């Protein structure tokens, strides 16, 4: 049976559609239409899709899936690609495959697929003196390319890039034996970005690349083969920047200019025993009935998947998951009160989802107190839906018990 996969990419001024077809013998054909212009994505996307399918002699109902570059990037462009992908997914009853646009940039730069390959650090122009940034490690597993996400897409001031690079170099051991490549259109947009390589011998400057739809299509094919897709209603853009301007009330209160990225950086590391004191401290600060240090130690001994978010050498958040044969279970996740609402929790949750997808698991489940409105809102915003309630699951004040709201997010 021939696979037909439609891909859309609109994270920059480049509007692209691609049709990737793979026949039974494995032969692949890729047809592409692109148009480079600002603010024309909405009017051009669907006509380009129709034109491409007509050229290939493919009817919409022959499509197996629809992929889209989910960002980060321009707000309007991301909504166009996501909206079209969702609409076609619903209409054709086919799954949707979101592809991080910064990962699409990383794969455009040809590197050897091995554990010693340079880290691909992508910097895309986010306007207002800021850059979208992500880092990936290329590898090869069972003859298939892999891309380990070392730094989830984030937003920083362009002037902070040098400090972030030094922070990352110390965290990942970058140096003479293991280097990195810097690529992305921010190299062209901000001359100072390229200059950061001048006094860092381990860093080489690559091309001023943008995500293109061909790369999105190829990554989507790999994710399709891995079973990594989502239902249309769960597809969502990856914005990173939550807002581009202050509200009137915020300005009246003295806020000026535009919201800025956090002044600190965070990276994720596997949880180790040396982290447990800090992890238990954060847990105790945010939970009335917290896990103990012993609980976390037992989880590590049991082989549970656990990560910590590090910022300036300190643990600022953590998560621990259990992977059953049929589903991933997020056991616990927490962020230091002083670092909440800065993207740490979202980054930890994203890591848990990525680890579940690597294991071919179709969904992730968790429990949360119905009284914890902030957590419920956090999970719903990220695609979780309520499955049911577990009676008297949590301990509560006065020797009472509280129910647990069971939530699930479908990953494939």
């Amino acid at each position: 049976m021939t696979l037909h996969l439609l891909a859309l990419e609109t994270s920059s001024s480049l509007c692209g559609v691609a049709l990737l077809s793979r026949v039974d013998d494995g032969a692949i054909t890729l047809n592409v239409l692109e148009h480079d212009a600002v603010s024309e994505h909405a009017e051009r996307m669907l006509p380009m899709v129709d034109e491409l399918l007509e050229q290939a002699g493919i009817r919409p109902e022959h499509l197996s899936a629809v992929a889209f570059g989910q960002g980060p990037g321009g707000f309007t462009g991301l909504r166009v690609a996501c909206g079209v992908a969702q609409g076609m997914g619903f209409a054709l009853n086919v799954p949707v495959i979101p592809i991080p646009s910064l990962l699409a940039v990383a794969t455009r730069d040809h590197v050897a697929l091995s554990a010693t390959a340079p880290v691909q650090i992508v910097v895309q122009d986010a306007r207002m003196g800021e850059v979208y940034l992500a880092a990936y490690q290329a590898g090869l597993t069972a003859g298939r390319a892999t891309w380990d996400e070392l730094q989830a897409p984030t937003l920083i001031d362009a002037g902070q890039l040098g400090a972030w690079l030094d922070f990352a170099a110390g965290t990942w051991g970058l140096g003479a034996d293991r280097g990195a490549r810097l690529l992305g259109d921010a190299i062209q947009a901000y001359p100072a970005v390229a200059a950061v390589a001048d006094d860092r011998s381990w860093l080489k400057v690559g091309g001023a690349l943008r995500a293109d739809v061909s790369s999105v299509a190829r990554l989507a094919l790999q994710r399709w083969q891995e079973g990594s897709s989502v239902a249309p209603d769960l597809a969502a853009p990856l914005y990173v920047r939550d807002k581009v301007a202050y509200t009137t009330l915020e300005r009246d209160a003295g806020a000026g200019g535009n919201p800025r990225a956090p002044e600190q950086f965070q990276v994720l590391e596997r949880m180790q025993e040396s982290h447990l004191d800090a992890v238990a401290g954060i847990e105790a600060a945010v939970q009335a009935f917290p896990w103990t240090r012993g609980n976390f130690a037992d989880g590590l001994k049991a082989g549970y998947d656990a990560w910590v978010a590090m910022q300036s050498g300190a643990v600022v958040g953590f998560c621990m998951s259990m992977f059953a044969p049929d589903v991933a279970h997020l056991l616990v996740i927490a962020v230091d009160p002083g670092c909440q609402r800065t993207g740490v929790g979202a980054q930890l949750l994203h890591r848990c989802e990525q680890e579940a997808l690597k294991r071919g698991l179709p969904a992730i489940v968790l429990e949360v107190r119905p009284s914890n409105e902030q957590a419920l809102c956090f999970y719903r915003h990220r695609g979780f839906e309520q499955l049911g309630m577990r009676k008297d699951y949590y301990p509560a004040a006065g020797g009472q018990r509280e129910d647990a709201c069971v939530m699930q997010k479908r990953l494939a």
Side-chain angles (χ1 to χ4, degrees):
M1 179 179 177
T2 301
L3 167 73
H4 296 297
L5 193 155
L6 182 71
L8 317 170
E9 166 54 36
T10 56
S11 65
S12 67
S13 63
L14 190 64
C15 178
V17 298
L19 178 67
L20 186 152
S21 300
R22 187 193 65 187
V23 296
D24 292 337
D25 64 3
I28 293 175
T29 59
L30 183 63
N31 298 299
V32 175
L33 285 179
E34 291 181 320
H35 177 76
D36 195 351
V38 179
S39 303
E40 295 184 7
H41 299 334
E43 61 189 79
R44 289 186 176 272
M45 175 60 71
L46 285 174
M48 289 172 67
V49 169
D50 292 340
E51 180 182 351
L52 186 65
L53 294 179
E54 184 177 354
Q55 288 178 357
I58 302 297
R59 296 181 59 82
E61 55 266 29
H62 296 155
L63 294 175
S64 305
V66 182
F68 72 100
Q70 67 174 155
F75 278 40
T76 302
L78 297 184
R79 288 196 293 268
V80 169
C82 181
V84 171
Q86 284 183 306
M88 296 188 71
F90 278 122
L92 303 173
N93 193 29
V94 297
V96 172
I97 307 175
I99 300 296
S101 298
L102 299 188
L103 176 58
V105 176
T107 63
R108 293 190 63 190
D109 188 58
H110 301 293
V111 295
L113 299 175
S114 70
T116 58
V119 174
Q120 301 287 83
I121 300 174
V122 182
V123 283
Q124 292 293 97
D125 182 14
R127 308 294 177 88
M128 298 186 295
E130 295 173 336
V131 298
Y132 297 119
L133 180 149
Y136 304 94
Q137 175 70 65
L140 191 64
T141 302
R144 180 173 296 176
T146 59
W147 292 91
D148 188 21
E149 182 183 78
L150 303 182
Q151 169 66 60
T154 189
L155 178 75
I156 69 170
D157 189 287
Q160 290 182 306
L161 180 59
W164 182 91
L165 288 168
D166 294 336
F167 175 68
T171 301
W172 302 327
L174 301 180
D177 297 330
R178 185 188 185 203
R181 285 176 60 80
L182 188 70
L183 54 146
D185 66 4
I187 292 172
Q188 188 175 52
Y190 304 107
V193 167
V196 297
D198 293 345
D199 54 357
R200 294 173 177 85
S201 59
W202 51 267
L203 181 66
K204 305 300 180 185
V205 177
L209 304 174
R210 293 181 293 175
D212 69 344
V213 73
S214 298
S215 300
V216 171
R218 293 188 181 96
L219 284 167
L221 173 61
Q222 182 170 338
R223 298 226 169 154
W224 171 264
Q225 293 169 332
E226 296 167 350
S228 301
S229 59
V230 300
D233 57 317
L234 296 181
L238 178 60
Y239 287 128
V240 178
R241 177 190 278 136
D242 292 328
K243 61 197 299 186
V244 295
Y246 289 116
T247 65
T248 301
L249 289 176
E250 288 170 328
R251 291 188 185 279
D252 288 344
N258 292 292
R260 306 302 294 174
E263 295 298 324
Q264 301 292 327
F265 315 118
Q266 63 243 0
V267 295
L268 300 189
E269 298 179 6
R270 290 277 184 184
M271 187 185 294
Q272 308 292 334
E273 185 175 357
S274 59
H275 297 133
L276 294 186
D277 288 340
V279 165
I282 293 174
E283 173 77 352
V286 299
Q287 297 291 349
F289 298 89
W291 279 32
T292 66
R293 187 186 190 283
N295 294 144
F296 288 108
D298 290 342
L300 291 182
K301 291 177 182 178
Y304 294 160
D305 193 72
W307 296 82
V308 292
M310 303 294 297
Q311 191 175 89
S312 299
V315 177
V316 296
F318 64 85
C319 65
M320 180 172 282
S321 304
M322 177 180 67
F323 298 120
D326 57 342
V327 71
H329 192 160
L330 178 58
L331 300 173
V332 59
I333 182 171
V335 176
D336 184 276
C339 296
Q340 292 178 2
R341 299 185 182 275
T342 64
V344 177
Q347 188 174 354
L348 287 163
L349 184 59
H350 178 69
R351 172 60 67 183
C352 180
E353 294 170 4
Q354 291 300 108
E355 293 298 322
L357 285 170
K358 287 180 182 178
R359 293 162 173 79
L361 298 177
I364 181 169
V365 298
L366 55 84
E367 293 88 18
V368 61
R369 293 176 184 265
S371 59
N372 193 343
E373 288 292 339
Q374 181 176 333
L376 287 169
C377 181
F378 172 81
Y379 294 127
R380 287 169 182 152
H381 183 65
R382 285 157 181 83
F384 282 80
E385 299 174 328
Q386 183 173 335
L387 286 181
M389 300 291 288
R390 289 182 177 164
K391 298 294 291 182
D392 299 331
Y393 185 81
Y394 289 111
Q400 302 299 307
R401 306 290 297 183
E402 183 177 0
D403 296 344
C405 176
V406 182
M407 306 187 78
Q408 174 182 270
K409 180 175 181 177
R410 290 174 288 162
L411 303 176

